[in-house]
Amino acid sequence: MPALGTFTLLATFVVASYALAASIAGGRRRSRALIESGVGAFYMTAALMAVASGIIIHAFVTDNYAIKYVQRYSDVAQPLAYKITSYWGGLDGSIMFWVLLLSVFGTIAVASNRERHRELIPWVVAIMAATEMFFIFIMVVHNNPFDTFVASAPAEGKGLNPLLQNFYMAIHPPSLYTGFVAMTIPYAFGMAALITGHLDDAWLRAVRRWTMIGWLFLTFGLTLGMLWAYEELGWGGFWGWDPVENAGLLPWFTATAFLHSVMVQERRGMLRVWNVTLVITTFFLTIFGTFMTRSGVVQSVHAFGEDRWLAGLFSGFMILLLTFSFAYVIYRLPLLKSRHELDSWFSREAAFLANNWILLFSAFFILFATMFPTLSEAVRGQRLTVGPPFFNQWMRPIGLVLLVLTGIAPLLAWKKSTLSNLVQQFTWPVAALIVTGAAVFALGIRVWSSGICFALCAFVGATILQEFIRGASVRKGASGSDYFTALVGLVARQQRRYGGYIVHLGIVLMFLGFAGQGYKQEKDMQLNPGEQNSVAGFTVRHDSIAVTSDDQKQMITGHVTVFRNGKQLAQMAPARWFFAKHESQPTTEVAIRRAPGEDVYIVLAAYDIGTQNATYAVTVNPLVDWIWLGFGILAIGTGIALLPERAFAFAGARVPEGVVTTSLLLLMLLLPGVARAQTVIQKDALRQQLEGDLMCTCGGCLAPMNNCPMAGACHGLKEQREKVNRMIDQGMTREQIKAAFVREHGGVDVLSAPPDEGFNRLAWALPYVAGATGAALVGLVAYRWTRRPAMPDAPAAAGAEVPVEDALAARLDDELRDLD
Amino acid sequence: MTSKAIKIALTCVVLAAALGGLMYTTLSEGTEYYIHVDEVMQNPSAWQGKKLQLHGFVADLRQRPNSLDYKFDVQFNGKIIPATYTGVVPDTFKNASEVVLKGQLHDGAFAVEPNGVMAKCPSKYNPQSAAGS
């Protein structure tokens, strides 16, 4: 099998190089046959990579430890899901996964643009094939995931790092990779446009959608990374400005900039050089981010293996990439002339330009600060580092300015805003800003950045609300429908614009969460059983420490009860898990009680089983859940903006297409939840699990049923066993039986492990639920709306006849201009 | 056109100067010297009171009973600095583990600032440390 895998990789390399050669030759000679064969060869690479991936996954599932990579990242006891995700758990596999994604995305992009952008296709294929070749080359000569042990193969695997055996970690890297890889496609189209000189706006249309998809996945990946850090690492925060995190953030900034500036080019024919540059920079940063995290060039807590060879290869590729790309930009400068000039600084394009500058500055600032230790070492010979405070000091004001622009830019008119225009647009939002600011001050929140952030969130929220209300009333007046229908029609008709507003709303919610970090409180508490201590109005009482185990790990669980104002709020159970073969690195299982106002976040920091003394690190984290909720909203907004435009052109006829896309997108978001539910357990296994789940109630032994030191002599245990068996025979599930015991016993301390799954996941499911509800609502209204047989075709037709107020008339003009 | 170009150039220069100046001042406050124990011990007085990120291995780790006070030695290349810390430590913080400590050197002893202990964490791309045992 491994030989077949290596062979497949080599074959992919050969086929990719053929695709490259055939496409270049075909593009230059305008030979249809050659181009077609190049495209075919490119499709072939996707098929081959699928085969190679199948082989490695098969090796993981069948525990084939003859393969080094499998041996290093898997072991027999690992659950099946983690065996599969081990595929991208290490360097070699993650590169292979990268190539797989690129070939699949490339295939989709080529297939869907073949007819529309015929002249670009050979060059698009060539660029993507060349990128594939680079990564396959790395694998074949240096990091082959199919490498086998020369002598005898070990009998067991080392197992995936326990920290990575986490639900979010299983889906966070692929999401981030998907985002990274999707950015290759805009680059390929951009370069193809530069090479062929077809620099009209056609290539932008092909590219915009892919950038949006990539951007969505990047955001999703970054959010998951935050969630993972928050739930798994146990330091109470979610973003530490670690180089690995920053690497994902860099292209996010430039991609965000591009998504905005592309509008300026479409609308006003400006910023053409700028857009090409952004596409190139984004792609470059994805490669650079990969390089930074894999080559050990930055000293990081994550400390990647120093690997000069890999560093050299990557540097070479990056230099080549930059030279080649920018040489073409310079060569094509005459074709990239702007059609217009900036008319006024009070225009939307100016605001977008400012937003672009700031986003780009953010990207380079983070790049600079991340590389600073390396730079200072190179220049001064002394390694200087900059910590999170430095990043925060800069990124806080930058973030706030970006937030202001989020509110202002969409309200400005293209070309030039008049004064009356400004007054009309900004009265309410500014009022909201002032009221909230005063309220925040009155409430006594004295963290300046958080206070300003809250006020600005109100400002931006008000602008978005105002846009929706005004747009809907104009449409209502024009179409004569009811308010709600008008609102949906509005979103459907200009999904990019209103989808964008919804994305902004998501961003606002995320900022709320960031602002909450300004006044989080933490306290370390060392407690004997029965003792308690308080932080930020929450009282934590330490009850007991329990030791339990299952076939993969030993678990030490602290049981605590949390009170607020003397009322019991929750029983929580932070734990330490010692995975077999990784005993020296216990994982921290944080107990989190989620609430919209603030999370109570408890870590079992130290313990003494003998004296039952425990140390808890307790953090009260305000508003942090709004970040996850914000992402849910953002995803919905992006989904709306991504819907095929024609799906809504004639709402009646084409709604099903949009519905399909929406449901697919939502399904994608819901998948994790479904995957989680698929567990089939047999009775015997169930019995064993329950014996680990339930504490022995014989009294005093503080051990689970399967570990009771008094077993044999303990008759309470025997009765308890019989009871469990009866319940299993009655067909009760694990959760039901546990619940029954909790009911009977009168408290969760009969459980050995925290009952955290249900409650915690519920909170996390909130965005999904909100999303699904939203989608259902949209579907319902769309259905209702489509039943209206003959709808006058939009404000365009009716606008002139319907009497509307002056203010609204101006707005209508604006709307009309926005119609594509 | 030329006057416009001058205006733009001027704006850029002013902005760049402002940002550069700001960056320089904040940078000097925000930086910490990343340094190994043996480098410090070559000339300890030069590092007195400066913000350091001290890289080394933990030895002779002691914890005062029923407290979060730790005393230990940091060593690297045969040189040793005694250190103190109060607070929660990472799981991987124990004798012989590799750490980076944030803090300051005062009178030959290294005072680690709160949350200033960073144990070298296992990376998924680095088999040596991920393997653990």
Side-chain angles (χ1 to χ4, degrees):
Chain A
M1 278 313 246
L4 181 62
T6 311
F7 173 76
T8 314
L9 286 184
L10 284 170
T12 318
F13 188 78
V14 173
V15 174
S17 51
Y18 173 75
L20 174 67
S23 298
I24 293 178
R28 289 179 66 92
R29 289 195 209 154
R30 303 187 180 281
S31 149
R32 186 117 187 102
L34 271 175
I35 294 175
E36 288 295 316
S37 83
V39 170
F42 187 77
Y43 290 174
M44 186 72 183
T45 61
L48 284 168
M49 284 314 295
V51 172
S53 304
I55 295 173
I56 198 90
I57 289 175
H58 178 262
F60 270 112
V61 173
T62 57
D63 303 310
N64 186 348
Y65 298 133
I67 299 176
K68 282 184 189 167
Y69 185 74
V70 176
Q71 195 267 342
R72 194 187 293 163
Y73 293 107
S74 178
D75 77 55
V76 179
Q78 223 157 283
L80 181 67
Y82 292 130
K83 280 186 186 170
I84 294 172
T85 58
S86 295
Y87 170 18
W88 52 76
L91 173 63
D92 312 359
S94 69
I95 293 179
M96 187 158 126
F97 188 61
W98 180 293
V99 181
L100 171 74
L101 285 176
L102 178 56
S103 60
V104 171
F105 283 4
T107 300
I108 298 172
V110 169
S112 57
N113 286 297
R114 259 176 107 161
E115 298 307 320
R116 242 174 300 163
H117 304 290
R118 193 168 292 185
E119 67 292 342
L120 299 180
I121 287 301
W123 302 103
V124 171
V125 170
I127 300 279
M128 289 191 300
T131 315
E132 272 182 16
M133 282 170 68
F134 167 68
F135 283 109
I136 302 174
F137 183 71
I138 292 182
M139 268 193 286
V140 171
V141 300
H142 192 57
N143 291 94
N144 186 352
F146 294 106
D147 261 354
T148 50
F149 286 98
V150 183
S152 58
E156 355 186 81
K158 291 182 183 166
L160 188 67
N161 184 338
L163 274 179
L164 305 178
Q165 295 199 23
N166 169 284
F167 171 63
Y168 303 117
M169 254 304 144
I171 53 173
H172 153 76
S175 171
L176 214 54
Y177 291 150
T178 307
F180 270 35
V181 174
M183 296 302 174
T184 314
I185 288 156
Y187 173 74
F189 273 92
M191 287 315 292
L194 281 174
I195 293 169
T196 55
H198 284 93
L199 283 163
D200 49 359
D201 298 343
W203 73 276
L204 281 182
R205 275 196 289 279
V207 151
R208 206 186 56 215
R209 190 166 291 263
W210 278 102
T211 315
M212 246 190 261
I213 293 172
W215 183 85
L216 177 62
F217 276 102
L218 264 185
T219 320
F220 189 44
L222 290 170
T223 312
L224 284 173
M226 289 195 254
L227 206 50
W228 172 75
Y230 184 63
E231 293 205 346
E232 195 71 5
L233 294 184
W235 52 278
F238 46 80
W239 190 269
W241 298 109
D242 186 273
V244 182
E245 295 166 328
N246 296 347
L249 195 58
L250 293 174
W252 187 89
F253 277 122
T254 49
T256 311
F258 174 75
L259 285 175
H260 289 92
S261 67
V262 76
M263 284 185 250
V264 179
Q265 177 167 352
E266 279 177 75
R267 187 54 62 90
R268 307 269 296 131
M270 292 159 60
L271 301 182
R272 297 157 138 238
V273 183
W274 181 252
N275 279 325
V276 182
T277 310
L278 279 180
V279 167
I280 297 171
T281 315
T282 306
F283 176 64
F284 171 76
L285 287 175
T286 61
I287 301 287
F288 186 81
T290 317
F291 162 71
M292 206 159 80
T293 51
R294 306 292 201 281
S295 67
V297 70
V298 180
Q299 182 80 36
S300 150
V301 192
H302 285 247
F304 294 97
E306 290 272 352
D307 191 337
R308 300 205 165 272
W309 196 86
L310 195 69
L313 252 185
F314 262 100
S315 314
F317 183 65
M318 287 189 299
I319 292 169
L320 192 72
L321 183 162
L322 280 184
T323 326
F324 170 73
S325 310
F326 284 106
Y328 254 112
V329 173
I330 293 167
Y331 171 62
R332 292 295 187 192
L333 270 184
L335 287 176
L336 289 167
K337 270 226 160 71
S338 271
R339 270 189 268 130
H340 298 280
E341 293 220 348
L342 199 58
D343 290 315
S344 151
W345 280 102
F346 292 99
S347 63
R348 201 180 291 179
E349 51 266 45
F352 277 3
L353 198 62
N355 132 310
N356 265 245
W357 276 101
I358 297 171
L359 285 168
L360 201 68
F361 174 78
S362 312
F364 281 102
F365 167 75
I366 290 174
L367 183 63
F368 167 75
T370 312
M371 294 300 292
F372 187 73
T374 312
L375 290 174
S376 73
E377 198 172 24
V379 175
R380 296 179 48 184
Q382 170 65 55
R383 205 174 170 88
L384 285 165
T385 61
V386 287
F390 179 67
F391 282 98
N392 287 337
Q393 198 174 9
W394 276 83
M395 291 314 289
R396 243 182 240 137
I398 289 176
L400 290 177
V401 174
L402 280 175
L403 191 58
V404 173
L405 285 174
T406 309
I408 292 179
L411 297 194
L412 295 174
W414 292 103
K415 287 188 174 175
K416 190 173 185 357
S417 297
T418 58
L419 190 65
S420 67
N421 199 304
L422 290 177
V423 170
Q424 182 225 340
Q425 293 280 37
F426 285 106
T427 315
W428 287 109
V430 170
L433 174 88
I434 294 168
V435 170
T436 316
V440 166
F441 194 77
L443 281 173
I445 296 172
R446 292 287 187 277
V447 184
W448 69 268
S449 52
S450 298
I452 294 176
C453 189
F454 288 137
L456 287 178
C457 284
F459 170 73
V460 181
T463 63
I464 296 169
L465 193 67
Q466 174 179 290
E467 281 292 285
F468 274 97
I469 291 176
R470 288 192 175 163
S473 12
V474 168
R475 193 178 167 87
K476 181 171 156 253
S479 65
S481 59
D482 67 273
Y483 210 86
F484 199 51
T485 309
L487 195 64
V488 175
L490 185 75
V491 175
R493 203 150 226 310
Q494 296 173 268
Q495 351 105 4
R496 268 180 71 196
R497 174 169 177 172
Y498 288 94
Y501 286 146
I502 295 173
V503 171
H504 281 180
L505 187 66
I507 297 277
V508 167
L509 294 182
M510 290 178 125
F511 265 88
L512 273 184
F514 299 151
Q517 290 295 297
Y519 53 100
K520 76 170 177 190
Q521 296 186 44
E522 39 201 326
K523 195 171 188 179
D524 296 338
M525 308 174 174
Q526 192 171 34
L527 303 171
N528 286 314
E531 284 181 350
Q532 57 186 39
N533 200 336
S534 300
V535 58
F538 291 92
T539 305
V540 176
R541 187 185 73 202
H542 169 49
D543 297 329
S544 66
I545 295 178
V547 185
T548 55
S549 61
D550 66 12
D551 49 3
Q552 221 193 346
K553 57 189 179 287
Q554 190 181 41
M555 296 167 280
I556 296 185
T557 311
H559 290 276
V560 297
T561 312
V562 179
F563 300 89
R564 187 177 208 177
N565 301 329
K567 247 177 61 191
Q568 179 174 335
L569 208 58
Q571 288 192 313
M572 294 168 66
R576 281 308 180 74
W577 288 357
F578 296 77
F579 279 80
K581 292 177 204 165
H582 295 275
E583 283 83 359
S584 59
Q585 308 166 1
T587 63
T588 302
E589 299 299 316
V590 185
I592 306 174
R593 181 193 179 271
R594 296 181 186 281
E598 66 275 286
D599 280 8
V600 180
Y601 182 102
I602 304 185
V603 174
L604 178 63
Y607 53 84
D608 185 325
I609 297 167
T611 64
Q612 289 278 306
N613 178 289
T615 305
Y616 298 104
V618 182
T619 311
V620 176
N621 245 334
L623 300 178
V624 77
D625 288 329
W626 292 92
I627 300 175
W628 326 133
L629 181 71
F631 173 75
I633 306 265
L634 179 150
I636 293 169
T638 319
I640 291 175
L642 268 174
L643 290 176
E645 277 155 44
R646 59 177 193 283
F648 282 117
F650 300 96
R654 291 303 198 94
V655 158
E657 195 179 343
V659 169
V660 169
T661 324
T662 322
S663 13
L664 275 180
L665 266 167
L666 281 163
L667 201 66
M668 186 188 77
L669 286 174
L670 284 171
L671 249 173
V674 179
R676 189 181 279 285
Q678 296 167 345
T679 1
V680 184
I681 305 162
Q682 285 152 355
K683 277 187 183 175
D684 256 4
L686 179 59
R687 188 169 298 132
Q688 275 177 17
Q689 281 177 340
L690 279 165
E691 297 217 336
D693 286 340
L694 295 168
M695 298 295 283
C696 173
T697 50
C698 66
C701 69
L702 285 173
M705 290 168 66
N706 61 4
N707 205 16
C708 176
M710 290 179 270
C714 174
H715 65 270
L717 179 65
K718 197 170 146 230
E719 284 162 12
Q720 194 178 356
R721 276 215 174 106
E722 279 165 8
K723 199 163 164 190
V724 170
N725 287 346
R726 263 202 312 283
M727 286 175 169
I728 292 174
D729 290 338
Q730 282 167 12
M732 289 170 78
T733 64
R734 184 174 172 188
E735 293 309 317
Q736 284 170 336
I737 296 175
K738 277 159 76 173
F741 268 91
V742 171
R743 251 198 323 276
E744 204 168 292
H745 189 75
V748 286
D749 37 323
V750 70
L751 300 181
S752 60
D756 70 333
E757 298 293 318
F759 184 78
N760 278 350
R761 305 303 177 211
L762 189 72
W764 164 229
L766 200 69
Y768 299 138
V769 175
T773 321
L777 220 62
V778 170
L780 193 76
V781 175
Y783 173 71
R784 215 176 113 195
W785 182 47
T786 51
R787 272 197 315 187
R788 221 169 271 273
M791 247 228 351
D793 189 18
E801 303 147 27
V802 180
V804 280
E805 296 166 41
D806 283 354
L808 293 183
R811 172 152 187 102
L812 188 57
D813 285 346
D814 188 41
E815 297 273 324
L816 289 175
R817 264 181 288 150
D818 268 359
L819 289 175
D820 286 333
Chain B
M1 188 60 210
T2 43
S3 79
K4 191 175 172 186
I6 292 170
K7 264 190 211 164
I8 291 175
L10 217 62
T11 319
C12 287
V13 169
V14 171
L15 270 181
L19 283 175
L22 207 55
M23 184 90 86
Y24 184 78
T25 48
T26 47
L27 202 55
S28 54
E29 287 168 26
T31 50
E32 291 165 353
Y33 292 88
Y34 182 91
I35 197 164
H36 289 91
V37 175
D38 53 338
E39 293 168 286
V40 174
M41 291 316 279
Q42 279 165 16
N43 186 8
S45 56
W47 301 104
Q48 197 81 313
K50 280 190 179 150
K51 278 191 191 170
L52 302 181
Q53 288 193 10
L54 190 64
H55 188 167
F57 292 86
V58 179
D60 193 22
L61 179 62
R62 285 151 295 160
Q63 181 181 10
R64 215 174 69 201
N66 286 327
S67 79
L68 294 174
D69 297 336
Y70 294 89
K71 279 191 166 190
F72 54 95
D73 290 343
V74 208
Q75 62 173 19
F76 196 84
N77 266 350
K79 302 284 194 229
I80 289 177
I81 299 179
T84 56
Y85 175 67
T86 302
V88 173
V89 295
D91 296 322
T92 39
F93 183 78
K94 49 189 63 166
N95 277 329
S97 60
E98 192 174 2
V99 288
V100 178
L101 305 163
K102 286 187 186 186
Q104 295 181 3
L105 193 65
H106 288 296
D107 305 323
F110 192 75
V112 183
E113 64 186 54
N115 296 321
V117 177
M118 294 176 289
K120 285 276 195 172
C121 97
S123 153
K124 59 180 196 167
Y125 297 117
N126 189 344
Q128 284 83 5
S129 60
S133 53

Tab-separated table of all heavy atoms in Angstrom, chain A residues 182 200 301 670:
chain	number	residue	atom	x	y	z
A	182	ALA	N	-8.482	28.115	-1.194
A	182	ALA	CA	-9.423	28.806	-2.066
A	182	ALA	C	-8.822	30.109	-2.592
A	182	ALA	O	-9.191	30.582	-3.653
A	182	ALA	CB	-10.726	29.083	-1.323
A	200	ASP	N	-10.123	43.430	-18.599
A	200	ASP	CA	-11.419	44.031	-18.294
A	200	ASP	C	-11.911	43.419	-16.993
A	200	ASP	O	-11.213	42.635	-16.362
A	200	ASP	CB	-12.411	43.771	-19.433
A	200	ASP	CG	-12.408	42.306	-19.817
A	200	ASP	OD1	-11.619	41.549	-19.210
A	200	ASP	OD2	-13.165	41.908	-20.711
A	301	VAL	N	5.899	29.514	20.675
A	301	VAL	CA	5.642	28.531	21.719
A	301	VAL	C	5.311	27.209	21.043
A	301	VAL	O	5.547	26.135	21.572
A	301	VAL	CB	4.485	28.977	22.619
A	301	VAL	CG1	4.421	28.109	23.850
A	301	VAL	CG2	4.659	30.419	23.013
A	670	LEU	N	-24.121	22.497	9.979
A	670	LEU	CA	-24.758	21.626	10.963
A	670	LEU	C	-24.069	20.273	11.048
A	670	LEU	O	-24.224	19.557	12.019
A	670	LEU	CB	-26.224	21.423	10.598
A	670	LEU	CG	-27.111	22.619	10.910
A	670	LEU	CD1	-28.483	22.433	10.318
A	670	LEU	CD2	-27.216	22.831	12.411
